[in-house]
């Protein structure tokens, strides 16, 4: 089923989610819809296909030497915290060497 989904490029309903509204915090007015956030529960098949695709993509990138060392997203042992540590470290090094620095962040 996973291979068929990858071959066809379609999940055919596997990405349907059950959405449950959850109140953001205690003491908020439950009648005001702005006080809720949507929580979506994906099906098991959708999660499984996502994991397989991510694993295969990462293996391909690594085998073909296409990984970028500066990229932190979607990599094992990398997170927003490791990226933040690297950015702060690079800024401190540049500051110690009296170099001008520019930070450009895209999301």
């Amino acid at each position: 089923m996973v291979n068929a989904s990858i071959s066809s490029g379609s999940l055919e309903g596997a990405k349907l989610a059950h959405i449950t509204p959850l109140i953001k915090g205690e003491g908020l007015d439950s009648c005001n819809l702005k006080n809720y956030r949507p929580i979506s529960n994906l099906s098991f098949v959708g999660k499984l296909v996502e994991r397989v695709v991510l694993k295969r993509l990462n293996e391909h990138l690594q085998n073909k030497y296409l990984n970028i060392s500066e990229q932190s997203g979607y990599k094992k042992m990398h997170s927003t915290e490791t990226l933040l540590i690297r950015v702060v470290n690079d800024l401190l090094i540049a500051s110690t060497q009296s170099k001008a620095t520019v930070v450009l962040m895209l999301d």
Side-chain angles (χ1 to χ4, degrees), residues 83-101:
L83 177 63
L84 182 60
I85 290 169
R86 180 179 177 146
V87 169
V88 170
N89 185 56
D90 290 348
L91 288 171
L92 288 172
I93 290 171
S95 174
T96 318
Q97 297 173 350
S98 299
K99 292 183 177 178
T101 55

Side-chain angles (χ1 to χ4, degrees), residues 15-106:
K15 287 293 282 184
L16 294 176
H18 176 70
I19 300 174
T20 307
L22 186 66
I23 195 141
K24 291 180 181 177
E26 292 181 30
L28 294 175
D29 182 15
S30 61
C31 295
N32 187 350
L33 296 179
K34 289 184 179 183
N35 292 333
Y36 288 89
R37 67 172 175 241
I39 303 296
S40 60
N41 296 317
L42 294 172
S43 70
F44 170 75
V45 175
K47 289 181 183 181
L48 179 66
V49 171
E50 283 182 3
R51 286 184 184 159
V52 170
V53 168
L54 180 61
K55 183 175 187 262
R56 289 183 185 181
L57 177 62
N58 282 332
E59 287 174 357
H60 174 76
L61 292 174
Q62 190 157 358
N63 292 339
K64 302 294 182 184
Y65 304 103
L66 298 172
N67 275 328
I68 301 169
S69 61
E70 290 82 12
Q71 179 181 347
S72 291
Y74 308 105
K75 282 181 152 181
K76 284 187 177 183
M77 307 301 292
H78 288 77
S79 67
T80 54
E81 289 142 359
T82 55
L83 177 63
L84 182 60
I85 290 169
R86 180 179 177 146
V87 169
V88 170
N89 185 56
D90 290 348
L91 288 171
L92 288 172
I93 290 171
S95 174
T96 318
Q97 297 173 350
S98 299
K99 292 183 177 178
T101 55
V102 176
V103 177
L104 174 66
M105 297 185 184
L106 304 173

